[in-house]
Amino acid sequence: GWYAGEPMLKAFEGITRVAQEALIDREPFSADVALLVDEASFAHVRSDDLTRQLVGEVVAKMPTAGVTWDFYLLSDIGDPGLPAYRLYIVLNAVTMDEATRARLIDKARADGATILYQYAPSYAGAQTLDAGAIPRATGLTADMTGEGPAPYLLKAGTWLSQGLDATLPFGPANRINPRPVVDASEGQALATYADGAGVAVAESVVDGVTTVYCAAAAMPPELLRNVARKAGAHVYCETNDAFYTD
């Protein structure tokens, strides 16, 4: 096997010794950003482009966002041992119930953190689809009656467009059905759908917690970086190169 040779075993012996010496002085470390995936919601969203974009692609591209991040289940949010974070990214919580939402809000408020929601949080109930549940999480209502392309254009001059070309479309290239269109009258519009359908990304405040709602599925690393920066996270890398630290 690959690890059976004497030189390889000697190398691992040296690595182990260095690691043991380093761990003596190692201090606990937690990242600035926490990704939360809702395992229950996988049963309520088709296993297609939407699921891949909400979860798989965000996780795969997070190393290029230039910030430190950890990964949890949404059900971990009530764990008293969960560290404090600057930003909570809720990837796919279409079935998030009120108790979980309350725990998330309490945690974010205690941390002074921002919450970023993707697509349609709390939209799928036990028996019905209810767009009226979305604003309880996001602070913003969303029309879920239509479908359409996901790409969106940033509103120039907002913090989300910092350092980016607001004339270029962002977001997935596919269509979304249903596609949430946000009513930003109770918040600040940050991006609109490229086809002119309405607001795709907006900011609001829910129970004292700043929330960012990306209705158009997921954000690319450039936008996640700006959201994290706005939330107070330290940005280590701006070049979309993969970055890791602990």
Side-chain angles (χ1 to χ4, degrees), residues 90-182:
V90 185
L91 299 175
N92 66 326
V94 297
T95 62
M96 182 173 62
D97 59 25
E98 182 61 23
T100 302
R101 186 201 71 83
R103 287 194 295 270
L104 176 59
I105 285 288
D106 288 346
K107 176 62 173 166
R109 187 190 301 111
D111 295 350
T114 295
I115 302 173
L116 168 60
Y117 290 105
Q118 298 189 147
Y119 190 53
S122 301
Y123 175 53
Q127 301 294 330
T128 61
L129 300 177
D130 180 15
I134 294 174
R136 290 198 287 274
T138 66
L140 300 159
T141 60
D143 182 355
M144 298 290 290
T145 60
E147 62 90 29
Y152 48 91
L153 298 170
L154 302 178
K155 291 183 71 69
T158 67
W159 59 262
L160 187 60
S161 66
Q162 179 183 342
L164 302 172
D165 187 346
T167 66
L168 298 177
F170 287 86
N174 59 287
R175 301 179 72 84
I176 305 176
N177 186 17
R179 178 179 66 171
V181 178
V182 180

Side-chain angles (χ1 to χ4, degrees), residues 2-246:
W2 289 354
Y3 304 111
E6 187 65 24
M8 184 63 76
L9 293 175
K10 286 289 186 181
F12 277 116
E13 181 181 342
I15 292 170
T16 301
R17 184 171 59 254
V18 170
Q20 290 172 340
E21 292 173 355
L23 287 173
I24 294 174
D25 298 321
R26 189 179 189 277
E27 297 182 359
F29 174 86
S30 61
D32 285 332
V33 179
L35 271 62
L36 303 174
V37 62
D38 182 19
E39 63 272 37
S41 289
F42 283 111
H44 295 262
V45 179
R46 291 188 300 272
S47 183
D48 58 6
D49 284 344
L50 182 58
T51 294
R52 175 174 54 81
Q53 288 156 2
L54 291 176
V55 181
E57 288 194 7
V58 177
V59 175
K61 293 178 180 178
M62 274 304 296
T64 64
V67 296
T68 55
W69 58 284
D70 293 326
F71 191 40
Y72 298 95
L73 298 176
L74 182 60
S75 56
D76 291 330
I77 199 65
D79 191 320
L82 192 70
Y85 291 92
R86 300 285 188 175
L87 173 65
Y88 292 92
I89 301 178
V90 185
L91 299 175
N92 66 326
V94 297
T95 62
M96 182 173 62
D97 59 25
E98 182 61 23
T100 302
R101 186 201 71 83
R103 287 194 295 270
L104 176 59
I105 285 288
D106 288 346
K107 176 62 173 166
R109 187 190 301 111
D111 295 350
T114 295
I115 302 173
L116 168 60
Y117 290 105
Q118 298 189 147
Y119 190 53
S122 301
Y123 175 53
Q127 301 294 330
T128 61
L129 300 177
D130 180 15
I134 294 174
R136 290 198 287 274
T138 66
L140 300 159
T141 60
D143 182 355
M144 298 290 290
T145 60
E147 62 90 29
Y152 48 91
L153 298 170
L154 302 178
K155 291 183 71 69
T158 67
W159 59 262
L160 187 60
S161 66
Q162 179 183 342
L164 302 172
D165 187 346
T167 66
L168 298 177
F170 287 86
N174 59 287
R175 301 179 72 84
I176 305 176
N177 186 17
R179 178 179 66 171
V181 178
V182 180
D183 177 359
S185 61
E186 298 297 321
Q188 178 189 14
L190 300 172
T192 57
Y193 285 108
D195 68 351
V199 175
V201 185
E203 180 183 24
S204 186
V205 176
V206 177
D207 296 335
V209 174
T210 298
T211 62
V212 178
Y213 179 25
C214 180
M219 286 184 170
E222 299 92 333
L223 299 188
L224 292 175
R225 184 180 307 130
N226 279 353
V227 175
R229 192 197 324 270
K230 175 69 160 41
H234 180 74
V235 175
Y236 290 82
C237 182
E238 302 266 6
T239 58
N240 285 358
D241 293 302
F243 168 81
Y244 298 89
T245 185
D246 69 354

